[in-house]
Amino acid sequence: MTMLSGLGVQLLVARLAGVEGFGTWSLFMNIFLIFSTLSDWGTSLNGPQMMQLSGAETWISNARFWRMRLSWFSAIGMLLVIFIFYSTQASILLWGLPMVIFYGFMSDWYDRGIQRPDRVAYRQMTHGVTQLAGVAIVVWLKGSLSMALAIYAGIAALTFIIWHRRQLPEDSQPKNVSWLGTQFPVLLGWSAYFLSTNLPI
């Protein structure tokens, strides 16, 4: 369902914006993916496994604490990249900011760790189908690419917030900066893999 929704969105964007607009869409998606990878700091990759180990409550609490803050740092980095390298397309690309800012709320990693992949599936299906419907409405109304991307990003951010689990365990100890160092090799490996395939796009 999610994959078909994603394909449908791409077909609609291509119909709405043409070849040049589809290039902007591709740039929009890749900038978001780069900066959401930074804000995630490898948590989605190894989070479910780390939750099965002893002392998981502290790790989870630190993951939530740092991901929230890294999302803001990533959003600032995204702003700088857009205005330095893509200033002529800034009015469109800036619609990706809500997805990066609120990526810290995305709790799919946590739901997988507590053996609730059904929650992940429901979020992803809701996310995909609602985005498809939103972009379809923009195409039907003969709207702009900017409007389509605004709706696409807004829906993504909403699903991150709505599915966020506020009952994640809290750690009574101060948040540990060493968590960033522990996770850094995971981030580095994932980023190297991701950038080698997506950065040329």
Side-chain angles (χ1 to χ4, degrees):
M1 176 73 74
T2 305
M3 188 169 64
L4 290 175
S5 298
L7 176 61
V9 167
Q10 294 192 55
L11 293 173
L12 288 171
V13 168
R15 179 187 178 99
L16 175 69
V19 174
E20 184 177 349
F22 194 80
T24 301
W25 156 262
S26 179
L27 179 61
F28 171 87
M29 288 303 298
N30 277 281
I31 287 175
F32 159 69
L33 289 170
I34 287 168
F35 286 100
S36 65
T37 298
L38 288 175
S39 69
D40 185 66
W41 209 257
T43 307
S44 294
L45 196 61
N46 73 332
Q49 178 188 12
M50 295 301 293
M51 288 174 63
Q52 308 307 315
L53 303 177
S54 60
E57 292 78 10
T58 300
W59 191 93
I60 293 166
S61 181
N62 277 291
R64 182 176 67 168
F65 177 86
W66 288 112
R67 286 178 84 254
M68 293 287 188
R69 283 143 188 85
L70 287 165
S71 292
W72 284 99
F73 284 113
S74 296
I76 292 168
M78 181 177 173
L79 275 173
L80 291 173
V81 166
I82 289 173
F83 282 115
I84 292 171
F85 297 105
Y86 305 107
S87 57
T88 58
Q89 295 174 296
S91 61
I92 294 178
L93 297 176
L94 286 175
W95 286 118
L97 277 176
M99 291 194 295
V100 174
I101 290 171
F102 292 105
Y103 198 77
F105 286 89
M106 198 276 291
S107 58
D108 289 0
W109 61 274
Y110 182 81
D111 289 324
R112 289 190 180 102
I114 60 171
Q115 309 301 312
R116 289 296 305 274
D118 56 307
R119 281 181 54 89
V120 178
Y122 293 143
R123 186 200 68 78
Q124 290 177 346
M125 286 188 290
T126 303
H127 180 137
V129 170
T130 312
Q131 284 179 324
L132 178 61
V135 174
I137 290 169
V138 172
V139 171
W140 182 61
L141 295 174
K142 301 188 186 317
S144 65
L145 175 62
S146 182
M147 186 184 301
L149 296 185
I151 288 174
Y152 183 92
I155 289 170
L158 277 175
T159 66
F160 297 155
I161 295 168
I162 291 169
W163 261 263
H164 178 66
R165 296 183 62 96
R166 295 191 181 278
Q167 62 268 37
L168 290 177
E170 288 281 1
D171 183 14
S172 59
Q173 299 301 316
K175 301 307 178 285
N176 195 343
V177 178
S178 68
W179 182 89
L180 296 171
T182 302
Q183 281 292 109
F184 185 71
V186 182
L187 169 71
L188 197 61
W190 178 240
S191 298
Y193 166 77
F194 170 76
L195 291 176
S196 68
T197 54
N198 286 60
L199 194 58
I201 300 173

